[in-house]
Amino acid sequence: MKYKHSIKAFEKAQKVIPGGVDSPVRAFKSVGGTPLFIKKGDGAYLVDIDGNHYVDFVQSWGPLIFGHSDKTIEKAVIKAVKKGLSFGAPTEIETKLATLICSLFEAIDKIRFVSSGTEAVMSAIRLARGFTGKDDIIKFEGCYHGHSDSLLVQAGSGAVTFGTPSSPGVPADLTKHTLLAKYNDIKSVKECFKNSKNIACIIIEPIAGNMGFVPADAKFLEELRVLCDKHGALLIFDEVMSGFRAHLYGAQSVYATKPDLVTFGKVIGGGMPVGAFGGRAEIMDKLSPDGPVYQAGTLSGNPVAMAAGYASLKKLLAHEDLYRDLEQKAKHLVEGLRLAAQEEGISLQVNAIGSMFGFFFNNKPVHNFADALTSDTQKFAAFHQGMLQEGFYFACSQFETGFISSAMSEAMIEDTIVAASKVFKAIK
Ligand SMILES: *Cc1c(COP(=O)(O)O)cnc(C)c1O
């Protein structure tokens, strides 16, 4: 593969955009090489400006469950665009999308739309604090909840990749209310409740995708529920990534535990910038203008973005067995990768739920962030480079999740495994 045009485009971008990118993980820092500049997406494929084609396992970091340029979503967006891009006034499509989501999630009576996952989580936390009248929050090492100040404490995703778990520019006064616990370790959570009587909420990715792919233990989530009830704290499931990805009905259908608030993003916008947070009416009614907790957005519930989200979710609802099919493919892929690696004496830890999958270059199972950090990131980087050369686009960090789209065929999965065998042989 030649990357001549991407290399030139990256040089140009770096002159006017910090690091040449608008979100740090895209810069390929942890795997080396030049980020690919994209010309277009086409179903399961990504096409870069040098004309190279790749099977895309990133899917814009999750949103594109039907692959690129899905015709149904495209049509809905174009129809909406023709009526105007934004009004800053209510439109019926917001109510339609809200009604649909409330009907799918037992824990959600009401929902409000925003423009990103970061905004959704930030707003949910403010609401939890406003509702409980408490200030402290518990988050887990390795979970990523967007880049708002009080959550940039040992955050996962890009922040981990760069080895700077918390960021300059975040006042210690803001993060002192954030207590860190260990994922899948209930003792560490009990410790937090012992240290503070002022805990408003626990926020967790119930199916974590930002320290690599690490699902929570069912018992652990249930114990969080019990602790929250005991101490009058709210349980927030951050399903910005797992929502409509792991399952149509979210983590609530994979686990028995019910959250008080849920946050969404990614798939809910079908590729457009949308986030949302929802929960019981009693909590949501505390939001302005009904209640005292302020939250707002000029472009929130944008009609074009809502049209994309509504078209996506309607299509998902019409193909409920899709998740079984995607999970079969995801499992086929990771099991194939694991066996291919094993043949070359490389240990891979693999996992998949619904259309989400992950693999760690690690000879021990990964249950939390500390485990994830023991993975061989150099080997991952070599794998990533090798797979790009073969025409397969994986997330450019060991600490990310992969996604299957409905545009991917069994044959593509087979081809991926064959290419991976070749790459494993070269990097062992
Ligand atoms: C991506 C993500 C976010 C942040 O969403 P943005 O749209 O990037 O702001 C928050 N939480 C989780 C679990 C995510 O995966």
Side-chain angles (χ1 to χ4, degrees):
M1 298 253 182
K2 294 221 166 57
Y3 306 122
K4 201 174 79 185
H5 290 99
S6 276
I7 290 170
K8 206 174 255 165
F10 191 43
E11 279 166 10
K12 254 195 203 163
Q14 281 172 298
K15 292 196 178 119
V16 285
I17 300 172
V21 292
D22 283 317
S23 195
V25 74
R26 294 178 200 168
F28 273 37
K29 284 262 196 226
S30 68
V31 290
T34 298
L36 307 178
F37 276 62
I38 306 306
K39 185 162 83 186
K40 62 172 188 172
D42 181 7
Y45 291 97
L46 207 52
V47 184
D48 70 15
I49 57 174
D50 286 285
N52 304 312
H53 285 59
Y54 309 86
V55 176
D56 181 14
F57 291 103
V58 181
Q59 298 293 328
S60 187
W61 303 96
L64 310 178
I65 195 161
F66 296 110
H68 295 277
S69 317
D70 176 79
K71 289 293 165 245
T72 314
I73 300 170
E74 192 177 286
K75 229 186 264 164
V77 166
I78 290 170
K79 199 170 153 204
V81 163
K82 291 195 165 158
K83 292 186 202 155
L85 296 183
S86 177
F87 311 113
T91 52
E92 287 177 308
I93 184 82
E94 293 159 71
T95 312
K96 272 167 83 169
L97 185 55
T99 306
L100 182 60
I101 295 162
C102 292
S103 77
L104 295 177
F105 285 78
E106 214 183 300
I108 300 178
D109 300 327
K110 292 188 175 181
I111 188 160
R112 182 167 277 177
F113 296 108
V114 292
S115 301
S116 71
T118 295
E119 232 188 305
V121 175
M122 185 183 86
S123 308
I125 298 242
R126 181 179 304 148
L127 179 57
R129 284 170 162 160
F131 180 78
T132 57
K134 300 173 183 176
D135 290 339
D136 293 347
I137 63 175
I138 298 177
K139 89 170 274 292
F140 295 92
E141 289 170 10
C143 282
Y144 179 69
H145 304 291
H147 67 93
S148 70
D149 282 345
S150 63
L151 290 162
L152 270 191
V153 183
Q154 289 237 0
S157 204
V160 174
T161 303
F162 296 128
T164 49
S166 43
S167 163
V170 177
D173 269 354
L174 289 176
T175 54
K176 77 178 181 200
H177 291 294
T178 307
L179 288 81
L180 271 178
K182 285 203 185 71
Y183 202 75
N184 282 328
D185 178 348
I186 200 67
K187 257 197 233 138
S188 69
V189 184
K190 287 181 178 161
E191 205 58 35
C192 294
F193 278 105
K194 223 179 263 168
N195 291 341
S196 168
K197 299 288 162 238
N198 195 25
I199 290 170
C201 64
I202 298 177
I203 179 149
I204 186 167
E205 289 178 74
I207 301 169
N210 287 290
M211 53 176 137
F213 183 65
V214 184
D217 299 333
K219 183 155 174 265
F220 176 67
L221 290 182
E222 202 43 50
E223 286 175 312
L224 293 183
R225 178 73 271 169
V226 171
L227 281 176
C228 281
D229 292 344
K230 183 172 159 198
H231 295 280
L234 300 187
L235 181 59
I236 306 177
F237 277 4
D238 182 354
E239 295 221 62
V240 168
M241 187 189 288
S242 58
F244 313 103
R245 257 296 170 189
H247 196 283
L248 181 58
Y249 304 105
Q252 69 176 12
S253 67
V254 179
Y255 303 102
T257 308
K258 300 279 171 290
D260 298 296
L261 289 171
V262 189
T263 57
F264 296 107
K266 300 187 173 125
V267 173
I268 208 183
M272 294 292 285
V274 180
F277 61 106
R280 284 204 309 279
E282 150 199 41
I283 306 170
M284 294 302 288
D285 286 343
K286 291 281 185 258
L287 276 179
S288 185
D290 281 353
V293 179
Y294 193 69
Q295 188 278 330
T298 301
L299 291 171
S300 291
N302 174 271
V304 181
M306 293 289 106
Y310 187 68
S312 274
L313 295 201
K314 276 300 241 193
K315 191 164 173 172
L316 285 172
L317 263 177
H319 299 87
E320 257 194 81
D321 50 351
L322 177 71
Y323 288 89
R324 214 176 324 127
D325 177 52
L326 293 173
E327 181 163 294
Q328 250 164 25
K329 288 193 176 112
K331 289 197 161 147
H332 178 184
L333 174 66
V334 291
E335 202 42 38
L337 290 179
R338 193 182 66 77
L339 289 172
Q342 196 175 47
E343 290 214 344
E344 304 305 328
I346 298 171
S347 293
L348 276 195
Q349 303 297 323
V350 304
N351 217 331
I353 297 180
S355 64
M356 300 168 78
F357 69 87
F359 52 93
F360 290 99
F361 286 84
N362 203 314
N363 49 21
K364 292 205 200 78
V366 173
H367 299 293
N368 60 36
F369 187 46
D371 294 346
L373 286 181
T374 64
S375 304
D376 186 342
T377 51
Q378 270 178 349
K379 199 147 260 158
F380 174 84
F383 173 79
H384 184 267
Q385 282 293 323
M387 289 306 282
L388 267 191
Q389 284 294 324
E390 296 291 324
F392 300 89
Y393 189 80
F394 282 91
C396 51
S397 160
Q398 170 71 98
F399 307 108
E400 298 289 351
T401 290
F403 301 101
I404 305 288
S405 78
S406 67
M408 271 174 206
S409 65
E410 271 298 332
M412 289 176 194
I413 303 285
E414 276 298 335
D415 290 347
T416 312
I417 297 168
V418 170
S421 296
K422 196 167 144 195
V423 172
F424 287 136
K425 199 178 291 275
I427 67 170
K428 70 174 170 189

